[in-house]
Amino acid sequence: MMSASKKSAKLKKAEYRRRIDELNAIRSKLQCAYSAFDNVTDPTIMDACIFEISALKSRYNYAVKGIRELNQP
């Protein structure tokens, strides 16, 4: 049987991995949004890209904050 501290460490490691995966997914979406912005000429679509980039940056910052909090003792 696994001790409570080992189980806790295993759960923390799994949560950390999940958050890193989430961060990487957001980073990928952000790269796509920047690429879309670079390739559009319609002002309305540009606005949509800007809003999407802004939202993704907020999600990215929130994810980074969550990872930092997870790493604190």
Side-chain angles (χ1 to χ4, degrees):
M1 186 173 269
M2 196 181 291
S3 71
S5 64
K6 285 185 180 180
K7 191 172 187 176
S8 175
K10 189 174 181 180
L11 289 173
K12 186 174 180 180
K13 185 176 180 179
E15 179 64 15
Y16 179 79
R17 183 74 245 160
R18 186 191 68 75
R19 289 184 186 197
I20 291 295
D21 290 345
E22 177 185 17
L23 188 69
N24 288 333
I26 295 168
R27 185 180 297 135
S28 177
K29 289 177 184 178
L30 194 52
Q31 288 173 341
C32 288
Y34 275 118
S35 178
F37 177 80
D38 290 341
N39 293 308
V40 298
T41 56
D42 184 272
T44 305
I45 302 298
M46 279 185 188
D47 285 345
C49 290
I50 291 168
F51 286 119
E52 183 176 4
I53 289 168
S54 179
L56 288 167
K57 282 182 172 183
S58 293
R59 287 182 61 201
Y60 185 87
N61 290 336
Y62 180 77
V64 168
K65 182 181 174 186
I67 291 170
R68 285 185 183 147
E69 289 173 356
L70 190 63
N71 283 332
Q72 294 189 4

